[in-house]
Amino acid sequence: MRATLFHLYFQGPLKALPRAPTLMAHLFWWYRYTHGREALEALLERFSQNPPFRLSSVYPKGWLPRPKLPPVPVEETTLRKALKNLALVSLETFQALAERGEEALLQAPEVLGRAKPPEPRRLRRSRVGIDRATGAARRGILFTQELLFPDPRTPYALYVLGEAPFDLKEGLAFVGEMGYGGGASVGLGRFRVEGPLEAELPEAKEPNAYATLAPGPLEGALYYELEPYWGRLGGAYVGKPFKRPYLRTREGSLYREVRNVLLDVTPEDPPEAGARVCEVLAVFPLGVRVWDS
């Protein structure tokens, strides 16, 4: 499949690599700031039907999530543990998996220890609590956070399907300058953008299912891994209540059909009268062949 590719180079620490729904939410806030509320509401209406574009989550360049294909029985303990802990696969291994199923993993270099993706360093950073009344450090509150420190020279890949109704690089550059995700106000999540580029993503030649590169809705999921999700409101609603929690599938989950949902996650106490809080769960589909028993 041909897709548009952006390279992200992280300029400092962050809590987690960008994932599609949260990155989309950052872009929607930028769109509201630059094009107005009515334009954003019209764009969200399109996402409730046929999304004009889909984002993947962000991965190390050349690596994709392992598709949740039916497992093959393995008796050898070391091999079974290597398979259990494998989260990312190379583009070449993904192509083999899409065509032949998990049988292709038994001789894959990732499983045999001959290849692995670049991993950000994990370090703890000490911080102090802030007294909101004075703006100074608050006595007696010292805590630590475990953060990711990606190599700033390592490109991370963001894939796009379709056409955004705005300059996507401009929107991404804004997000990268302001910071992605939690802790952006203290300098976390900043990145530099390179692109757009062209990319050819691996797929099965005659697929009968789709693996997603982004979290997806439960409806229509075939083989999947569930995750609960909750989070604070962003943009102009920073500091307001949490969004309504919900369940979704993780990257790599399989679907028979390409799905998308504009999920209503408005909390019981909305951030302002009449406000509606939405989450985009749009499957980013790569064709795979599922060998059902």
Side-chain angles (χ1 to χ4, degrees), residues 76-93:
E76 204 274 309
T77 304
T78 302
L79 180 58
R80 190 169 62 248
K81 288 183 176 179
L83 288 170
K84 180 181 178 181
N85 296 326
L86 186 67
L88 297 177
V89 296
S90 67
L91 300 185
E92 294 77 12
T93 299

Side-chain angles (χ1 to χ4, degrees), residues 46-68:
R46 296 178 66 185
F47 270 88
S48 69
Q49 301 173 11
N50 186 23
F53 68 102
R54 297 167 188 263
L55 297 183
S56 76
S57 295
V58 172
Y59 307 99
K61 180 185 176 183
W63 295 82
L64 293 175
R66 172 187 178 183
K68 312 292 183 191

Side-chain angles (χ1 to χ4, degrees), residues 29-263:
W29 274 112
W30 169 81
Y31 191 66
R32 174 174 169 171
Y33 293 146
T34 56
H35 293 72
R37 179 169 182 163
E38 291 184 357
L40 174 61
E41 290 177 344
L43 178 58
L44 289 174
E45 180 62 26
R46 296 178 66 185
F47 270 88
S48 69
Q49 301 173 11
N50 186 23
F53 68 102
R54 297 167 188 263
L55 297 183
S56 76
S57 295
V58 172
Y59 307 99
K61 180 185 176 183
W63 295 82
L64 293 175
R66 172 187 178 183
K68 312 292 183 191
L69 292 161
V72 292
V74 176
E75 294 186 0
E76 204 274 309
T77 304
T78 302
L79 180 58
R80 190 169 62 248
K81 288 183 176 179
L83 288 170
K84 180 181 178 181
N85 296 326
L86 186 67
L88 297 177
V89 296
S90 67
L91 300 185
E92 294 77 12
T93 299
F94 192 99
Q95 179 71 59
L97 281 166
E99 296 282 2
R100 297 158 43 203
E102 288 250 319
E103 188 78 25
L105 274 183
L106 300 182
Q107 298 299 321
E110 299 91 325
V111 177
L112 301 178
R114 299 171 187 162
K116 63 178 183 179
E119 294 184 0
R121 291 186 300 161
R122 293 179 180 272
L123 299 173
R124 287 186 177 275
R125 189 168 75 170
S126 298
R127 292 184 55 192
V128 297
I130 300 298
D131 187 325
R132 300 297 179 189
T134 64
R138 188 172 178 181
R139 181 182 294 275
I141 298 182
L142 175 66
F143 62 96
T144 60
Q145 287 180 307
E146 184 176 279
L147 301 174
L148 303 181
F149 287 76
D151 187 330
R153 298 164 298 182
T154 299
Y156 284 78
L158 168 68
Y159 301 102
V160 183
L161 288 181
E163 293 289 338
F166 51 80
D167 187 329
L168 192 50
K169 183 175 183 179
E170 184 181 349
L172 289 170
F174 176 83
V175 177
E177 183 175 350
M178 299 301 293
Y180 165 87
S185 62
V186 292
L188 303 186
R190 295 185 177 177
F191 58 81
R192 176 173 64 84
V193 185
E194 181 181 275
L197 308 168
E198 290 186 352
E200 194 68 38
L201 291 171
E203 281 193 300
K205 292 180 180 177
E206 296 181 359
N208 60 2
Y210 300 93
T212 177
L213 303 189
L218 299 186
E219 297 84 356
L222 179 62
Y223 297 99
Y224 54 90
E225 181 180 355
L226 278 181
E227 68 171 358
Y229 185 80
W230 64 93
R232 289 186 180 276
L233 302 177
Y237 297 148
V238 167
K240 299 291 183 179
F242 284 93
K243 292 180 275 188
R244 182 168 57 82
Y246 65 96
L247 290 173
R248 66 188 187 189
T249 64
R250 289 183 182 275
E251 294 88 342
S253 297
L254 265 59
Y255 292 79
R256 282 294 188 196
E257 298 176 350
V258 179
R259 295 281 184 149
N260 65 276
V261 168
L262 188 64
L263 196 64

